[in-house]
Amino acid sequence: MKNSMNRNVLVYISGKYSGDIDENIKVARKYAIKIWELGYTALTPALNSAHFEIDCNCKYEDYINGDLIMLDRCDIIFMLPGWQESKGANVEIRFAKRKGMKIVFDLEEL
């Protein structure tokens, strides 16, 4: 299934972070690994700023703004299961729609 020709395609992984943070990070990581193994390059904000709510003195808006800067540089947005429950993921998918990005809900769509 690996296709190195897809490595230059940057996939943004969007999903729920708050709530059961450890479980949500675990899910994001699992999908990131699968996307890398499919030959794409995955950008996973949940891993990039894991537990920053404890370690970093930033506001929620700082993370959303930073996430949108990263998303703007991506080719595809991949929506994790349960993304609908996330305020941030809803902001991200609206941004992706306005930009005309490919939006993917299942690994088979890649």
Side-chain angles (χ1 to χ4, degrees):
M1 279 257 201
K2 296 179 186 179
N3 183 350
S4 62
M5 294 189 59
N6 291 329
R7 191 62 69 200
N8 65 339
V9 176
L10 187 56
V11 179
Y12 183 97
I13 300 176
S14 177
K16 188 175 179 180
Y17 181 82
S18 58
D20 188 342
I21 293 172
D22 288 331
E23 179 61 24
N24 294 332
I25 290 170
K26 182 179 167 183
V27 169
R29 186 175 188 279
K30 178 181 92 170
Y31 277 90
I33 290 167
K34 290 179 181 183
I35 289 169
W36 276 97
E37 288 176 345
L38 286 171
Y40 296 89
T41 299
L43 177 61
T44 316
L47 298 177
N48 182 60
S49 56
H51 298 292
F52 275 25
E53 71 281 357
I54 297 167
D55 303 323
C56 184
N57 188 21
C58 289
K59 299 175 189 165
Y60 174 79
E61 292 77 19
D62 296 324
Y63 296 112
I64 292 299
N65 291 334
D67 290 346
L68 294 179
I69 289 168
M70 290 186 282
L71 177 56
D72 191 45
R73 290 165 171 79
C74 293
D75 304 295
I76 298 171
I77 185 170
F78 181 87
M79 306 306 295
L80 292 170
W83 68 269
Q84 301 91 332
E85 302 168 15
S86 167
K87 179 180 168 185
N90 277 280
V91 169
E92 292 164 348
I93 196 168
R94 284 193 304 271
F95 180 90
K97 285 179 181 178
R98 282 193 307 272
K99 189 176 175 194
M101 289 179 71
K102 180 176 181 179
I103 300 170
V104 175
F105 300 93
D106 190 282
L107 290 172
E108 292 178 10
E109 296 176 53
L110 289 173

